[in-house]
């Protein structure tokens, strides 16, 4: 969980200046899709969370 929080802070919260809550939601939604469906995770044997779940 700490790794997720650090990554989220660096890549979303620290990387953007948001003008509205709508912009926050759009940015977070796009980031979560990338994080869960496109990005391999070392802790999951370099699979995406979606791939790991399907393999289980």
């Amino acid at each position: 969980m700490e790794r997720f929080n650090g990554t989220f802070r660096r890549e979303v919260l620290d990387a953007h200046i948001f003008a509205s809550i709508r912009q926050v939601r759009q940015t977070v939604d796009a980031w979560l899709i990338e994080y869960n469906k496109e990005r391999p995770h070392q802790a999951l044997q370099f699979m995406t969370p979606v791939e790991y779940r399907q393999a289980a």
Side-chain angles (χ1 to χ4, degrees):
M1 190 49 120
E2 289 180 28
R3 177 174 274 184
F4 173 85
N5 288 340
T7 302
F8 182 77
R9 175 163 297 283
R10 274 189 316 280
E11 295 183 8
V12 178
L13 300 178
D14 293 346
H16 298 84
I17 297 174
F18 299 105
S20 67
I21 191 70
R22 182 176 180 207
Q23 187 181 20
V24 173
R25 288 181 178 140
Q26 290 172 337
T27 302
V28 170
D29 288 347
W31 185 84
L32 283 172
I33 289 168
E34 187 236 329
Y35 187 84
N36 287 316
K37 295 184 178 180
E38 300 170 8
R39 180 188 297 196
H41 296 260
Q42 182 178 3
L44 302 177
Q45 303 167 1
F46 295 97
M47 291 187 276
T48 67
V50 170
E51 292 170 334
Y52 186 81
R53 184 177 40 211
Q54 290 171 348

